[in-house]
Amino acid sequence: MTAERRALLQQRVTQAFIKTYGTEPAILVAAPGRVNLIGEHTDYNDGFVLPCAIDYETMVAIGPGSGSQVDVVACDFDSDRDSFDLTEPFAKQSTEWKNHVRGIAASLIDKGLSLLGANIAIGGNVPQGAGLSSSASLGVALAKAFTELSQPGALNETDLALTAQHSENHYVGCACGIMDQLVSARGLAGSALQIDCRSLATKPIPIPDHMVIVVIHSGVQRGLVDSAYNERRIQCEQAATHYGVAALRDLTIEQLEAGRAGLDPVAYRRARHVVTENARTLAAGAALAAGDQDTVSTLMAQSHVSMRDDFEITVPAIDRLVDITAEFLRGAGGGRMTGGGFGGCVVAIVPKTKVAALETWINQHYQTPDQAIAQLFVCEPSGGVSIL
C-alpha cells in the first residue's frame, strides 16, 4: 500500500504542475509526516522525544519560475493559488498554507541562501488536523525543494529541519520545537528516532517486526497555532526561570519537588509533566529496543495520564478513545494521545495479529463527535525527506 499510495500522490501532484504551468517539474520532493510514540511537549524544553516518520507524506513539485517570482498551486485546497516576489518582505496571509510556503522562502533567505523564482505544486496524504505533522512535512519538503532548485546540497537534513522550525516559529506563528521537522528530515525506515532536542543527536530504535503502529483519529480536529500550545510553552519557560535552569530538561523530579515553594500551582503541574515525560521517554526507548512490550505499554499509559492531568491538553473524546484502546489491548500493546493536544489522534503499538480485531473493537465502542466511525491508519516506520 505504501508504494501505491506514493504513486497516486506523485501522479496527482505532477499532473497539477503540468496543468498549471504547461511543463514537467524539474524536481519532485517528498517528506513524511510523523507520529510521536512518547515524549510530548518535551522538545521545546530541550528534552527527549521518540517519534517515528510514517508512510504518509507531503510532496512538492518544483521547476524554474520567472525572475524572482514564486507561483504555487495547492492540490489539496481546490487548486488554490498564491504568488509572491522573493525580493519583497514576508507578508502574512489569511490562508495558512500560503504562510508556510512564504515562511520557508523567507527562512531560507534569512539563512543567506539565494533563491531562484519557482513554479510549485503541493499535495499530500498526511491527515490534516490529526496531530501527524502535516505542516512539518510540508515545511521540510518545501525547504528541500527550494534548496535543490537554487543551491543543490546547500543544506543537510538537520539544517532543513531547523529552517522549517524557524518558519513555523517566526512566520507561521507556532512556537513549536524541533521534533516534528527533525524526524521528517532524518527518519529511518523500520525505526523510531530517539532525539535529544538540545544536542539534536538521534538514535534509531527499531520497531519489533511483530508490532505495528496504529494511529486512530478521534474525529476532533486540532490546530496548534490556535490552541493553547503557545501558552503551555510560556508556562514551561516561567517554571524553568523559577528553578534557575536553562530548560526543564535540566531538572530531576527530586529538584522539582524540593524547589516548588512559591511556584504557581499550574506552572508546577506543567513542569512535572515535562520532567516525568523525559524520564518516561528514555525508559520507553530502552524498553522498545529490548522488546519489552509490557514496560512500553505502562509508560505510554502513564504518559497519557500526565498529559491529561498535569499538562491538560487532552479532550474527553481522546480520553475515551485511549480507555477503549487500552481495554482491548490489556497490556499487549500501548496507547496514548499523540501530538500537541486538544484533539487529533491516539497512537498504539499493537501486535500485527491484533490490528483487525482492534479496528472492529473500536468501531463497536467509539464514535466521533459527529457520530462517525473513527479512521484508523496502519503506519510503517519510514525514511525522511527524499528526492524522487
Side-chain angles (χ1 to χ4, degrees):
M1 282 299 294
T2 299
E4 180 183 351
R5 186 160 53 236
R6 170 172 276 189
L8 289 171
L9 178 58
Q10 183 170 341
Q11 181 183 45
R12 183 159 61 91
V13 173
T14 301
Q15 287 180 346
F17 189 96
I18 294 170
K19 180 180 178 181
T20 305
Y21 306 113
T23 185
E24 294 268 353
I27 302 167
L28 200 62
V29 174
R34 71 95 187 92
V35 62
N36 191 25
L37 303 181
I38 193 168
E40 223 64 76
H41 287 264
T42 48
D43 59 344
Y44 56 78
N45 289 292
D46 281 0
F48 300 92
V49 292
L50 189 62
C52 179
I54 59 176
D55 53 332
Y56 290 83
E57 58 195 350
T58 301
M59 207 168 280
V60 173
I62 192 168
S66 175
S68 57
Q69 193 75 12
V70 174
D71 290 292
V72 195
V73 58
C75 301
D76 302 328
F77 295 98
D78 297 322
S79 298
D80 193 16
R81 301 285 297 273
D82 192 27
S83 181
F84 60 96
D85 195 303
L86 292 166
T87 63
E88 298 292 329
F90 174 86
K92 189 102 172 179
Q93 304 297 297
S94 59
T95 306
E96 188 171 320
W97 76 261
K98 298 178 181 179
N99 291 323
H100 285 283
V101 182
R102 291 169 178 245
I104 290 293
S107 296
L108 289 168
I109 292 169
D110 289 344
K111 292 180 79 73
L113 271 71
S114 297
L115 298 185
L116 302 175
N119 294 327
I120 297 172
I122 299 167
N125 53 34
V126 183
Q128 297 179 19
L132 299 180
S133 292
S134 57
S135 61
S137 67
L138 171 60
V140 170
L142 282 166
K144 182 70 170 176
F146 271 121
T147 304
E148 290 305 307
L149 181 69
S150 302
Q151 293 182 236
L155 299 181
N156 62 28
E157 284 79 7
T158 299
D159 287 332
L160 293 172
L162 289 167
T163 298
Q165 182 198 19
H166 182 273
S167 173
E168 291 262 18
N169 291 172
H170 295 278
Y171 295 111
V172 178
C174 178
C176 65
I178 190 61
M179 171 181 64
D180 299 353
Q181 293 81 8
L182 196 62
V183 72
S184 183
R186 291 177 55 177
L188 293 174
S191 295
L193 205 63
Q194 185 172 286
I195 300 172
D196 180 334
C197 294
R198 173 170 285 168
S199 68
L200 303 187
T202 60
K203 177 183 177 181
I205 306 291
I207 304 295
D209 289 340
H210 69 284
M211 305 298 287
V212 68
I213 297 169
V214 178
V215 178
I216 312 158
H217 199 320
S218 66
V220 181
Q221 298 293 323
R222 50 165 297 281
L224 283 181
V225 177
D226 297 324
S227 73
Y229 186 103
N230 294 343
E231 178 189 38
R232 294 302 188 281
R233 183 164 187 162
I234 292 169
Q235 290 166 336
C236 290
E237 291 169 352
Q238 290 171 341
T241 299
H242 170 85
Y243 285 98
V245 294
L248 291 178
R249 176 252 181 78
D250 299 310
L251 280 183
T252 64
I253 189 65
E254 292 79 15
Q255 291 168 327
L256 178 78
E257 297 299 337
R260 64 177 292 188
L263 180 62
D264 175 78
V266 173
Y268 163 73
R269 292 201 307 275
R270 305 294 187 254
R272 183 169 61 183
H273 165 74
V274 174
V275 173
T276 57
E277 186 80 343
N278 275 323
R280 283 188 292 269
T281 301
L282 292 174
L288 192 61
D292 183 355
Q293 187 57 49
D294 288 345
T295 298
V296 172
S297 299
T298 298
L299 291 166
M300 291 178 77
Q302 291 172 352
S303 172
H304 185 81
V305 170
S306 183
M307 289 187 290
R308 183 191 68 199
D309 297 345
D310 277 351
F311 223 63
E312 298 181 283
I313 54 173
T314 72
V315 295
I318 285 278
D319 296 333
R320 188 167 68 255
L321 187 53
V322 167
D323 289 343
I324 290 167
T325 302
E327 186 179 351
F328 172 84
L329 292 172
R330 296 186 182 277
R336 60 184 280 280
M337 187 202 79
T338 186
F342 313 104
C345 291
V346 169
V347 62
I349 304 178
V350 181
K352 289 180 179 178
T353 56
K354 291 182 176 290
V355 172
L358 173 63
E359 183 169 10
T360 299
W361 176 265
I362 289 171
N363 289 343
Q364 289 172 345
H365 294 87
Y366 179 82
Q367 286 187 318
T368 71
D370 294 333
Q371 305 303 304
I373 292 174
Q375 287 184 288
L376 270 75
F377 304 93
V378 180
C379 301
E380 294 185 13
S382 299
V385 65
S386 61
I387 299 174
L388 303 182

